[in-house]
Amino acid sequence: MTPERRDLALATKGFMPADEGDALRAAAIDAAGAVPEAPMLEVGSYCGRSTVWLGDAAEQTGRVLFALDHHRGSDENQAGWEYHDAEVVDTRIGKMDTLPFFRSSIHDAGLEDTVVALIGRSPVVASAWTTPLAFLFIDGGHGVEPARLDYEGWTPHIAVGGTLAIHDVFPHPDDGGRPPYEQIFLPALESGRFELISATGSLRILRRLS
Ligand code: MG
């Protein structure tokens, strides 16, 4: 990854620390080595911060990265809320619209030939998806139901030997919200279909076994 592209990722709005972005990219490159030809998919792109790290991995390994988001913001990040960023609101309709920021990030990173935006609700896209994935990154809705639906809808599409990456996994309630831990991380391990490979901050990397 060029220093320029990494700096661009670090300058993009979002909540992915540098060490986690680097670990995410390394895991995606490993996953491509384990599963020939299959694409990568990210659930929850927001303004494209993590997408630049993953897009770099996809470009380097000759894969396509699908970047899925409805771009209306998560339930916990809306106008008037504590973490809300007024810059990402479409004032015409009074709703969030992160797509223009996402497009700028991917354009400026030079990744438009590698990253394909999927704009829609995760369960709707998942219900029509059939292509096995080398790498799946879940960083979508952090509520109980969105997290559960992302687990159910997307993890079956990971190829055996492929990788599941989960963001914002907080085993201790004091550190952050529980759903990515309780609705995605634990069910994946308890299913027996995945093993834990590594942890970096709140990022968890799991490999599909069967
Ligand atoms: Mg996150």
Side-chain angles (χ1 to χ4, degrees):
M1 192 176 199
T2 65
E4 292 75 18
R5 187 177 272 172
R6 188 169 180 275
D7 286 347
L8 198 146
L10 291 168
T12 300
K13 290 177 188 295
F15 307 96
M16 165 90 28
D19 61 336
E20 296 179 25
D22 291 340
L24 186 67
R25 174 180 168 276
I29 290 171
D30 287 349
V35 183
E37 296 179 10
M40 305 176 181
L41 190 142
E42 166 183 74
V43 181
S45 299
Y46 192 56
C47 294
R49 184 179 172 98
S50 55
T51 321
V52 172
W53 269 290
L54 281 181
D56 187 83
E59 182 186 68
Q60 185 174 320
T61 55
R63 307 306 169 92
V64 171
L65 170 64
F66 293 100
L68 169 60
D69 202 303
H70 49 63
H71 288 288
R72 292 294 182 210
S74 56
D75 291 341
E76 63 273 18
N77 186 26
Q78 294 297 323
W81 291 46
E82 185 179 359
Y83 298 108
H84 188 261
D85 178 351
E87 207 185 348
V88 297
V89 174
D90 178 344
T91 54
R92 186 184 70 83
I93 60 174
K95 292 179 179 175
M96 283 179 66
D97 183 4
T98 53
L99 181 58
F101 295 87
F102 174 86
R103 294 211 78 188
S104 293
S105 300
I106 301 311
H107 172 271
D108 294 354
L111 287 167
E112 289 190 325
D113 290 338
T114 298
V115 176
V116 176
L118 298 174
I119 304 161
R121 303 234 162 243
S122 175
V124 176
V125 180
S127 70
W129 194 266
T130 57
T131 305
L133 300 168
F135 187 87
L136 172 68
F137 177 44
I138 300 182
D139 189 20
H142 287 30
V144 170
E145 193 65 359
R148 188 183 69 78
L149 290 172
D150 280 342
Y151 175 76
E152 287 188 0
W154 286 108
T155 60
H157 296 297
I158 302 168
V160 172
T163 296
L164 168 63
I166 313 165
H167 200 221
D168 301 311
V169 173
F170 298 113
H172 305 294
D174 291 349
D175 296 335
R178 305 288 283 168
Y181 175 69
E182 292 180 343
Q183 305 298 324
I184 305 173
F185 179 73
L186 289 182
L189 289 181
E190 288 165 1
S191 74
R193 292 183 300 142
F194 293 91
E195 65 174 347
L196 180 63
I197 300 299
S198 68
T200 304
S202 72
L203 179 70
R204 297 292 181 277
I205 304 295
L206 292 78
R207 179 187 299 129
R208 182 155 185 187
L209 299 168
S210 63

